[in-house]
Amino acid sequence: MRRKIIAGNWKMNKTPSEAIKLVEELKPLVDNEAVDVVFCVPAIDIVPVVKACEGSTIQVGAENMYFEESGAYTGEISPAMLVDAGVRYVILGHSERRDYFKETSEDVNRKMKKAIEHGITPIMCCGESLEQREQGITLDWIRQQVKVGYQGIAAADAAKTVIAYEPIWAIGTGRTATTEQAEEVCGAIRQCIAEIYDEATAESIRIQYGGSVNAANAAELFAQPDIDGGLVGGASLKADFGKIVNYDR
Ligand code: 13P
């Protein structure tokens, strides 16, 4: 039985002082022993958020990371910096990074390997555009993103990672994928992992759905056999996140 993982992606929101306030507000609301709860926050918020989360079960994640160890990469954040700050997870290859910052699946693959090397659990995002969905190439596209993302990664390592299926047309639009659409793609991702590795790895890997998850639709989405939780944007910045984490109550 896979343990559910529900992560908030704060994106470029909350100054350090606002971040501490939000954690204090959410801390009593996001207590669910059956679920891994992760707050993925902007780099500058990581240190205060880790401190504010002390004594709770909340784990802290980053929203990006670079694939080099250190050196002349102005503006980038290294895996060792994240580890030292108390980060356990890192979102890699979010569609906003792929679209606005031209990250490729090859970049994402390099970052995946580095994160794993440093003991940080990657949450690798994949997802199709509306155009791709309408063209009927969703599954081919996603399979390609997953195959490149996991190139050269050993089965034992892959099994511990997380994949987030986030259809681009559902992100921040209030237009959630239907439960059937979300389950279809998450199931196809698991199948793809089984083809790359084996059934055991596919059964272990956790696959989230992301894209306009809210308190009203979380329970139905998370009840699907291949959906192991969610990656939540807008609703992770509000008290609603508590309801999403406690979707099973
Ligand atoms: P929304 O929940 O705001 O649609 O964002 C989803 C997302 O991009 C999470 O990574």
Side-chain angles (χ1 to χ4, degrees), residues 7-11 91 94-96 125 164 166-167 170-175 209-214 230-236:
N9 174 7
W10 289 13
K11 306 194 178 183
I91 298 174
H94 191 280
S95 63
E96 288 149 16
C125 300
E166 299 206 305
I171 295 177
T173 57
R175 184 179 165 193
Y209 167 78
S212 298
V213 173
N214 59 41
L231 184 56
V232 184
S236 72

